[in-house]
Amino acid sequence: MAAEARILVTVARTSGSVPREVGAWMAVATGGVTGTVGGGHLEFDAIARSRAALAGGELAEEVRYPLGPRLGQCCGGVVWLHFERIAADEDLAARLPDVALRPLALFGAGHVGLAIARIARDLPLALHWIDSRADQFPADPPARGWRQEALDPPADAVRDLATGSAVLIMSHSHAEDFDIVAACLKRQRDHCDLPFIGLIGSRTKWASFRQRLEVRGFTEGERDQVVCPIGVPGVAGKQPGVIAVAALAQILSLR
């Protein structure tokens, strides 16, 4: 299929209660829409304006939308949408606005790791995904801002994680998990720049790890930095998707 010209619609400014944040975007083509600026009549009008421009009409660079009764939305705030043409031969990704993404280091590409990665594509996360087995990663290309790394031993990746990374540890091996936890705590001792260290597993697994970490010389305060089991409280179920949702909600709740 030949590439189409598109209109890139971006939330430029906001005031008050609004459905999406500054930087949210959608790309409108004649035959489809990618992304969202908030849905409802706001988005309906933006799509209509964009398609009229694609058909040869004029295109305003910025439009103010009061989200009140006249628009059929009761948010009460104001959204300013920016409109720009993207030629068929232009790379859309290169024109997308920079949005602050939380760095997330995910150790393990097993069932839960794959579920986390699938859901994380739609979340404001920059994923650094590490596994000792190169053939475990899916064939589709990484999402924007992602990095996939096959490294054996995977604990060696800890020293190169982005500052401020939240860490989820769920490799195929308890031995690998332990070494990754120990490497994270060593980094915390030296730099204190990992706001969350989460380990998949039971309380029994963590009790065993705690004892071994104590033998390694890690203090009680250092060991208390590890969260195990992972996931927001109250979410039951051991299916990979359930665990993934609970763990990602925990990450998104971090300040």
Side-chain angles (χ1 to χ4, degrees):
M1 180 183 294
E4 290 186 90
R6 289 154 290 181
I7 304 296
L8 177 61
V9 186
T10 309
V11 177
R13 291 181 287 151
T14 66
S15 177
S17 177
V18 296
R20 288 300 307 269
E21 71 285 355
V22 172
W25 61 273
M26 69 177 179
V28 182
T30 301
V33 176
T34 303
T36 176
V37 292
H41 290 280
L42 165 71
E43 191 160 291
F44 179 82
D45 185 82
I47 292 171
R49 286 175 181 271
S50 298
R51 288 192 169 145
L54 289 170
E58 295 294 322
L59 182 66
E61 182 175 341
E62 187 171 282
V63 178
R64 178 180 182 272
Y65 288 90
L67 303 181
R70 291 184 60 186
L71 197 63
Q73 293 185 233
C74 56
C75 298
V78 181
V79 175
W80 286 262
L81 294 182
H82 178 79
F83 295 79
E84 60 181 314
R85 298 178 187 270
I86 306 294
D89 59 352
E90 285 189 77
D91 179 14
L92 174 63
R95 300 286 294 274
L96 295 179
D98 290 328
V99 178
L101 303 177
R102 173 181 289 279
L104 171 62
L106 172 61
F107 287 88
H111 295 302
V112 178
L114 288 168
I116 286 174
R118 283 195 297 268
I119 299 169
R121 285 180 175 271
D122 294 323
L123 302 177
L125 299 169
L127 188 69
H128 183 178
W129 195 6
I130 305 105
D131 197 288
S132 58
R133 306 158 296 170
D135 59 354
Q136 282 297 113
F137 296 111
D140 49 319
R144 184 185 182 215
W146 283 23
R147 176 185 175 191
Q148 291 176 188
E149 183 177 12
L151 186 64
D152 190 9
D156 286 353
V158 171
R159 62 175 175 263
D160 296 323
L161 299 181
T163 298
S165 290
V167 181
L168 290 174
I169 303 165
M170 52 189 67
S171 80
H172 69 290
S173 159
H174 280 203
E176 284 191 357
D177 282 354
F178 180 81
D179 289 342
I180 296 164
V181 170
C184 287
L185 292 183
K186 174 63 166 60
R187 174 162 169 164
Q188 283 294 83
R189 180 182 291 172
D190 294 339
H191 303 290
C192 196
D193 65 349
L194 301 176
F196 183 88
I197 304 169
L199 171 67
I200 197 169
S202 65
R203 290 179 174 82
T204 302
K205 174 181 176 179
W206 177 232
S208 172
F209 274 33
R210 281 190 73 99
Q211 292 177 349
R212 294 171 62 193
L213 289 166
E214 183 178 11
V215 172
R216 286 275 190 99
F218 291 102
T219 67
E220 183 176 358
E222 288 174 325
R223 287 174 280 147
D224 284 345
Q225 295 177 67
V226 180
V227 176
C228 182
I230 55 173
V232 293
V235 179
K238 296 184 178 181
Q239 302 96 323
V242 173
I243 298 171
V245 168
L248 286 169
Q250 197 169 30
I251 298 301
L252 293 175
S253 70
L254 298 174
R255 291 186 179 180

